[in-house]
Amino acid sequence: GEEVAQTPKHLVRGEGQKAKLYCAPIKGHSYVFWYQQVLKNEFKFLISFQNENVFDETGMPKERFSAKCLPNSPCSLEIQATKLEDSAVYFCASSPGRESPLHFGNGTRLTVT
Amino acid sequence: GENVEQHPSTLSVQEGDSAVIKCTYSDSASNYFPWYKQELGKGPQLIIDIRSNVGEKKDQRIAVTLNKTAKHFSLHITETQPEDSAVYFCAASIAGNQFYFGTGTSLTVIP
């Protein structure tokens, strides 16, 4: 598609529950980035992929967060045992190559209660 | 790692006036600088970008300038319109490996 598609739009989880977010990048884009936006404005980098391979995972809290980009499937970001501080909007972005602009989806708002 | 600072955090202008948003970066290896506009409930949208081999770029009412020596870059919006009201983010990237974002400027254009 011509847009980055993120699902679901909203997700509510009780503390300790699992959350799984999905992202379909723009067709032909080989890079996928995940960002967490907290306090409305701050973007925290989580992880990036080049096709199905992890490109950079320096931002991932590894004990509870995991992500995958498998061929012919949407990419996913999974949070095990969610905490209150995981409440945020999670954005996925794709790009056709390095040094190319990021194209963002409209985000998934995760609320942990 | 890279640190991007953005000012001001809020900006109000009268319709028709110009708006300027400034960003500084810390890593001289950064070579790509996009600007994004984020409207409420939506993801950031690219509005203009500049690479380190260029000092200025213009697209209709929007322009970006880059000063590599001082490590700062600015967004200029002329003849502002109410639909320009949004949050604007600058970003810096080193060869596209990772994008570092500023903390955003909430622009309000008063009709």
Side-chain angles (χ1 to χ4, degrees):
Chain A
E2 291 301 313
E3 290 183 344
V4 175
Q6 288 190 249
T7 54
K9 201 166 180 176
H10 301 281
L11 190 57
V12 180
R13 287 288 179 265
E15 207 172 0
Q17 291 186 317
K18 184 173 78 174
K20 195 162 185 179
L21 292 62
Y22 297 92
C23 168
I26 293 172
K27 204 171 183 180
H29 283 197
S30 51
Y31 287 84
V32 170
F33 292 72
W34 283 98
Y35 282 88
Q36 179 193 57
Q37 188 177 35
V38 296
L39 300 172
K40 283 195 178 178
N41 283 358
E42 186 184 331
F43 282 96
K44 179 177 183 266
F45 169 75
L46 294 175
I47 191 169
S48 60
F49 288 84
Q50 181 181 8
N51 297 311
E52 61 267 26
N53 303 308
V54 174
F55 188 67
D56 183 344
E57 58 181 348
T58 52
M60 283 287 267
K62 290 183 185 174
E63 62 278 5
R64 295 185 300 110
F65 285 59
S66 62
K68 290 179 192 174
C69 275
L70 299 175
N72 304 313
S73 295
C75 295
S76 63
L77 176 70
E78 190 167 328
I79 310 172
Q80 303 285 344
T82 52
K83 296 184 178 180
L84 296 176
E85 60 260 33
D86 298 332
S87 294
V89 181
Y90 291 82
F91 285 101
C92 171
S94 68
S95 73
R98 287 177 59 183
E99 298 191 46
S100 296
L102 300 181
H103 299 257
F104 282 84
N106 284 326
T108 292
R109 178 176 294 279
L110 172 65
T111 303
V112 181
T113 61
Chain B
E2 174 66 283
N3 181 44
V4 177
E5 294 191 357
Q6 184 172 346
H7 300 281
S9 56
T10 59
L11 180 59
S12 289
V13 299
Q14 292 289 334
E15 184 177 357
D17 286 351
S18 294
V20 180
I21 303 169
K22 298 183 180 183
C23 288
T24 59
Y25 61 99
S26 59
D27 195 329
S28 55
S30 288
N31 61 353
Y32 176 59
F33 307 90
W35 284 88
Y36 288 88
K37 175 184 181 182
Q38 187 177 22
E39 295 174 325
L40 200 61
K42 296 196 170 181
Q45 277 199 307
L46 178 75
I47 55 171
I48 197 166
D49 57 4
I50 193 167
R51 298 184 189 276
S52 58
N53 58 347
V54 174
E56 185 172 353
K57 185 175 176 181
K58 194 172 179 181
D59 182 4
Q60 299 182 334
R61 296 186 296 109
I62 294 172
V64 56
T65 58
L66 171 64
N67 183 328
K68 282 192 298 181
T69 305
K71 296 208 228 24
H72 67 71
F73 56 114
S74 300
L75 177 72
H76 304 253
I77 306 174
T78 58
E79 299 169 30
T80 52
Q81 299 166 3
E83 51 265 38
D84 294 330
S85 296
V87 180
Y88 291 80
F89 291 91
C90 62
S93 174
I94 303 169
N97 288 337
Q98 202 182 112
F99 288 76
Y100 298 87
F101 286 83
T103 48
T105 296
S106 179
L107 173 65
T108 302
V109 180
I110 304 162

